[in-house]
């Protein structure tokens, strides 16, 4: 690490201390970004395959113009009527199934999930929640309770953590049926402890658990169980939402379920802090009957202008379709590489949310977090940014802005292949194809 970079890291730590989180062995000093490219303090460019916040592209001119114009006109709390705010709410609600007809706007995904938990408690009279084993849903006290990845192995008494619906490690039976059975058991377990079931909260692409998307429809059986047992199905769309999975604007749509509550965040404002809860009127009314809720900044006119520009851009630039097309191309390229590189155990995902599971042995499927870390850092040195997920940190998380092109994807595929050759030279005769879930 150069002296100036070391100084910059020390400076960061002096202010932010142990709560500071920096990526990469050689942290990056980012200065600006445009589209899918980020530029560091030395002017070096990086292909961004990690960020789902600037989802329609870094510094998108349409979002910039909308936010700047609105900032110069009016920005205030949300207790006045304002056309942009109502226009945004109508546009956003129109993207949901008809039953979901109300919206509460917040500033973060954490706030949205916090509110969703409270709505579920008010509507069901229960306090028990079910989540997946390595889920992350945000950072408030209540949401940290339902985020096992923040406190591994220490779920509080009202929370049950179950395995995600995956079919790489556990290939017997149907993942959806297995998941539904686990939900059923967890509800029974809560009840044995005298805790009434309030809801199932899932990220519909299972990002932190390790990216699980297939087969489409695998959430439907669990949704049926949740309904039958009187709880709410809460779909956390902070990661898959706004077109990322390439099939629809929403991750739950791939699974043909209509959630009781939908929470949103990250890509919603393309970097402008926004979150939200979309919900049926009757459920919202249950909550507001007992609790007053007001959010000073949530859905302010500037946020609404940003949100509107994001929805318009996704639509006008065909970004959901692009996620489908370029995501498919990227996943196919990575699978092709898997034919030559033993550490690639599985390539999976939907649209431009791709997980690559690295293993030290394809038979035993032993997780290889050290290979993942080495690969991520070497790619960073070459100018490509990705991250890792899963309980062992061995699943590469590839999640670029939705405007990634096939040429961008090809650049990454070639670099990925080269780095894998450096780390683990391919056997001369090639190897069996990586799993294709
Ligand atoms: N839900 C999921 C699935 C997330 O990934 C995140 C953030 N990474 C959140 C909720 C919390 O969103 P925020 O950081 O905006 O509070």
């Amino acid at each position: 690490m150069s002296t100036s970079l070391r100084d910059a890291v020390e400076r960061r730590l002096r202010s932010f201390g142990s709560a500071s989180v920096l990526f990469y062995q050689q942290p990056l000093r980012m200065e600006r970004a445009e589209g899918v490219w980020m530029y560091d303090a030395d002017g070096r460019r990086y292909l961004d395959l990690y960020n789902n916040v600037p989802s329609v592209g870094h510094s998108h001119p349409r979002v910039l113009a909308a936010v700047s114009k609105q900032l110069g006109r009016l920005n205030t709390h949300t207790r006045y009527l304002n056309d942009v705010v109502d226009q945004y709410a109508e546009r956003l609600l129109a993207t949901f199934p008809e039953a979901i007809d109300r919206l509460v706007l917040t500033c973060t995904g954490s706030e949205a999930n916090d509110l969703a938990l409270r709505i579920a408690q008010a509507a069901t009279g229960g306090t028990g929640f079910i989540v997946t084993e390595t889920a992350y849903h945000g950072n408030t006290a209540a949401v940290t309770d339902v985020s096992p990845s923040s406190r591994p192995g220490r779920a509080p008494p009202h929370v049950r953590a179950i395995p995600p619906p995956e079919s790489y490690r556990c290939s017997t039976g149907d993942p959806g049926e297995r998941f539904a059975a686990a939900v059923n058991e967890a509800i029974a377990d809560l009840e044995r402890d005298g805790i009434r079931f309030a809801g199932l909260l899932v990220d519909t692409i299972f990002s932190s658990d390790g990216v699980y998307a297939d087969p489409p429809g695998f959430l439907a059986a669990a949704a049926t169980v949740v309904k039958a047992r009187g709880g709410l199905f809460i779909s956390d769309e902070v990661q898959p939402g706004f077109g990322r999975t390439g099939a629809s604007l929403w991750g739950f749509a791939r699974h043909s379920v209509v959630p009781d509550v939908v929470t949103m965040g990250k890509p919603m404002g393309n970097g402008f802090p926004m979150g939200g809860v979309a919900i049926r009127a009757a459920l919202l009314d249950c909550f507001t009957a007992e609790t007053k809720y007001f959010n000073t900044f949530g859905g302010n006119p500037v946020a609404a202008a940003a949100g509107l520009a994001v929805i318009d851009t996704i639509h006008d630039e065909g970004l959901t379709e692009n996620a489908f097309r370029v995501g498919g191309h990227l996943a196919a390229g990575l699978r092709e590489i898997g034919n030559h590189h033993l550490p690639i155990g599985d390539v999976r995902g939907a649209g431009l949310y791709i997980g690559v599971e690295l293993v030290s042995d394809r038979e035993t499927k032993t997780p290889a977090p050290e290979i993942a870390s080495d690969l991520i850092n070497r790619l960073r040195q070459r100018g490509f940014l990705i991250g890792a997920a899963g309980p062992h940190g061995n699943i590469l998380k590839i999640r670029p802005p939705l405007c990634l092109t096939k040429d961008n994807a090809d650049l990454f595929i070639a670099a990925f292949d080269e780095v894998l050759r450096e780390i683990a030279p391919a056997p001369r005769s090639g190897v069996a194809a990586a799993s294709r879930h």
Side-chain angles (χ1 to χ4, degrees):
M1 199 184 293
S2 69
T3 320
S4 72
L5 183 56
R6 197 182 311 273
D7 288 349
V9 171
E10 279 169 11
R11 181 182 182 197
R12 168 63 67 96
L13 291 175
R14 268 199 301 280
S15 297
F16 295 98
S18 57
S20 170
V21 180
L22 288 171
F23 277 166
Y24 307 114
Q25 285 157 0
Q26 304 255 329
L28 282 161
R29 267 183 294 183
M30 284 305 186
E31 208 133 279
R32 65 186 184 89
E34 202 181 320
V36 290
W37 297 101
M38 300 186 79
Y39 299 83
D40 72 9
D42 301 319
R44 179 158 186 228
R45 75 174 191 172
Y46 297 81
L47 184 63
D48 182 7
L49 294 122
Y50 182 79
N51 281 295
N52 62 349
V53 171
S55 195
V56 300
H58 288 275
S59 315
H60 195 287
R62 194 159 178 178
V63 181
L64 173 66
V67 167
S68 312
K69 186 172 154 204
Q70 190 59 46
L71 256 180
R73 178 178 284 177
L74 172 77
N75 196 25
T76 178
H77 63 79
T78 52
R79 284 175 162 128
Y80 302 108
L81 291 171
N82 177 263
D83 190 47
V84 184
V85 173
D86 293 306
Q87 205 187 336
Y88 177 56
E90 286 157 10
R91 286 291 304 281
L92 186 58
L93 279 172
T95 69
F96 288 103
E98 220 175 309
I100 297 176
D101 54 358
R102 293 289 186 274
L103 183 67
V104 181
L105 291 169
T106 64
C107 306
T108 67
S110 300
E111 266 188 290
N113 280 326
D114 195 278
L115 180 58
L117 297 180
R118 295 168 73 189
I119 290 171
Q121 286 167 346
T124 64
T127 55
F129 287 98
I130 300 171
V131 292
T132 49
E133 276 168 350
T134 314
Y136 179 75
H137 294 290
N139 59 15
T140 71
V143 177
T144 300
D145 279 349
V146 292
S147 296
S149 68
S150 297
R151 277 198 302 239
R154 287 191 289 141
H158 68 287
V159 176
R160 294 293 178 279
I162 61 173
E166 67 99 27
S167 47
Y168 172 60
R169 278 163 200 289
C170 185
S171 50
T172 51
D174 175 67
E177 293 300 330
R178 241 185 289 124
F179 190 63
V183 170
N184 217 356
E185 262 168 49
I187 297 171
D189 197 44
L190 284 166
E191 286 171 352
R192 269 194 295 278
D193 288 348
I195 297 165
R196 191 193 287 189
F197 175 51
L200 169 70
L201 169 61
V202 285
D203 162 357
T204 57
I205 187 84
F206 297 91
S207 331
S208 313
D209 281 286
V211 190
Y212 299 105
D214 285 326
F218 71 33
L219 283 175
T224 304
V225 169
V226 169
K227 192 175 169 121
R229 305 295 291 267
L232 299 193
F233 184 96
I234 307 168
S235 178
D236 181 336
E237 294 287 330
V238 169
Q239 297 262 0
F242 293 92
R244 179 153 296 278
T245 60
S248 132
L249 222 49
W250 307 114
F252 63 76
R254 283 188 86 241
H255 297 291
S256 308
V257 296
V258 178
D260 296 299
V261 187
V262 179
T263 60
M264 298 161 276
K266 288 203 201 211
M268 206 168 171
N270 211 49
F272 197 92
M274 291 182 75
V277 176
I279 190 171
R280 279 186 275 129
L283 288 175
L284 181 61
D285 295 348
C286 273
F287 173 67
T288 54
E290 62 178 46
T291 308
K292 285 185 179 157
Y293 183 84
F294 173 66
N295 197 313
T296 301
F297 295 115
N300 66 57
V302 176
L308 208 47
V310 167
I311 293 185
D312 285 344
T313 304
I314 292 173
H315 181 262
D316 294 353
E317 295 185 10
L319 292 180
T320 307
E321 299 74 22
N322 193 62
F324 177 78
R325 226 179 15 252
V326 178
H329 177 76
L330 179 53
L334 295 171
R335 285 190 186 112
E336 177 61 31
I337 289 177
N339 291 333
H340 312 291
H341 293 293
L342 279 170
I344 298 184
D346 194 22
V347 177
R348 54 181 180 251
L352 278 171
Y353 211 124
I354 299 174
V356 178
E357 178 138 8
L358 299 174
V359 291
S360 56
D361 180 328
R362 279 193 182 177
E363 288 304 312
T364 60
K365 300 181 178 174
T366 309
E370 61 297 331
I371 298 181
S373 167
D374 193 14
L375 209 130
I376 288 167
N377 281 292
R378 284 174 189 255
L379 280 166
R380 172 251 178 265
Q381 296 296 18
R382 285 173 178 256
F384 297 89
L385 306 180
I386 60 168
H392 308 286
N394 67 312
I395 298 153
L396 302 177
K397 193 161 69 172
I398 301 168
R399 193 186 51 178
L402 301 182
C403 52
L404 192 85
T405 64
K406 279 189 174 174
D407 286 349
N408 297 149
D410 287 340
L411 279 179
F412 175 68
I413 292 166
F416 191 75
D417 191 22
E418 281 170 28
V419 167
L420 268 166
R421 280 178 208 283
E422 286 169 15
I423 294 176
R428 243 174 299 146
S429 56
V431 293
S435 165
R436 279 174 172 70
H437 298 288

